[in-house]
Amino acid sequence: MNYAQLPKIELHLHLDCSLSYSVVHAIDNTITEAQYRQEFVAPPVCEDLRDYLTRAVKGFSLMQTPAQLRLVTLDLLAQLEADRVIYAEIRFAPLLHTQQGLSPAQVIDTVQSALQEGASRYNVVARLILCTLRHFTEEQSFETALLTRQFFGKGWVVGFDMAGDEAGFGVLAHKKAFALIKESGIPFTVHAGEAAGPASMWEVIRELGPRRIGHGVRSIEDPSLVRYLVQERIHLEVCPTSNLQTNIFSSLTAHSLRALYQQGVSVSVSTDARMITPVTLSSEYHHLSEAFGWGQTEFLACNLQALEAAFIEDEIRATLRQQVMMAY
Ligand SMILES: [Zn+2]
């Protein structure tokens, strides 16, 4: 099966963790390819999520000016088109791109303009999710929520997320931000059940009430949680190889995705970070087909579930659905 040719939906993808070597080199030509592989890409197994995240700094430090943000955004669209991703929700934390004087609103404007420019050049429908981070203060988190409200509904920003070091920081500092997001009717997702176990997922469900969770793969440790996810139709954005790198599973065969799927949880497959995790969605499908014996049926189901959970206007959802149904 040639997965590279099949249209794919990707819900979980970090802009600042997905720089190709060519864009890194275009921004800073002193960085060699060997250095990129050593410092920007994470090894097959890191100590844990925190260790993995030390690479993210490399990406966003090269994304501090309008020219750099534009290049990185267009670079990701080119990667997505080559991978036949027809719809992607791209996420980033605007507050991380202000080191050279841009305001967070200018950062978002710049990325939006690049998407606009890329829309006519690449055959990819892309939307944005703005992230707060676990280690942010209550004020920083709330500021990100305000920005999301400001840009939401204007064509590009479709949702809100919380990423970052899950084991080190809880959700308390972020409740105010999420309250604003919910009050404003903005769709959101939350990273949980990755570095920390089912307790962190229950916390997020109880305190924030998401319809979508980033990763959530450790829910398999708690059968009552799995039942709850099925019952409430909470979608999990699963990034298999990234989970091996953060040392949650020892191999794809041992990954919980297959069991979650079989038990009726709504799941989809994403790459997470195409730089830190050196994969494409096509290569993820290929590896999953080898590890799980998955074929077109399972990937069609995952893509339809992704579309059902996508933060996109219904009209575009229907068009994308048509495209996926025809191809599989
Ligand atoms: Zn992520």
Side-chain angles (χ1 to χ4, degrees), residues 12 14 191 215 272:
H12 192 123
H14 295 264
H191 280 67
H215 299 289
D272 201 5

Side-chain angles (χ1 to χ4, degrees), residues 137-158:
T137 62
E138 188 173 41
E139 291 68 34
Q140 290 173 309
S141 209
F142 192 68
E143 186 186 353
T144 309
L146 282 171
L147 285 160
T148 309
R149 189 177 66 174
Q150 183 188 337
F151 283 88
F152 178 72
K154 303 200 168 117
W156 300 106
V157 173
V158 294

Side-chain angles (χ1 to χ4, degrees), residues 24-69:
V24 166
H25 185 76
I27 292 171
D28 180 348
N29 64 14
T30 67
I31 299 170
T32 65
E33 195 159 0
Q35 211 179 336
Y36 172 82
R37 266 185 262 119
Q38 181 72 31
E39 296 170 11
F40 291 66
V41 179
V45 183
C46 301
E47 210 175 295
D48 54 19
L49 176 62
R50 241 170 52 133
D51 179 20
Y52 172 89
L53 285 174
T54 56
R55 273 87 185 172
V57 181
K58 300 301 268 183
F60 70 73
S61 66
L62 295 179
M63 299 163 63
Q64 299 296 332
T65 68
Q68 294 169 347
L69 284 163

Side-chain angles (χ1 to χ4, degrees), residues 12-14 52 91 161 163-164 191 194 214-215 237 239 242 272-273:
H12 192 123
L13 180 59
H14 295 264
Y52 172 89
R91 57 187 82 192
D161 170 42
H191 280 67
E194 180 188 13
H215 299 289
E237 311 151 3
C239 312
S242 163
D272 201 5

Side-chain angles (χ1 to χ4, degrees), residues 4 19-20 45 54 80 85 98 107 122 128 148 174 209 212 240 259 271 281 297 304 310 322 328:
L19 291 73
S20 69
V45 183
T54 56
L80 291 171
V85 172
T98 57
V107 171
Y122 300 105
L128 296 174
T148 309
H174 309 285
R212 253 166 67 173
T271 60
L281 201 47
T297 311
L304 293 178
Q322 193 79 28
Y328 283 79

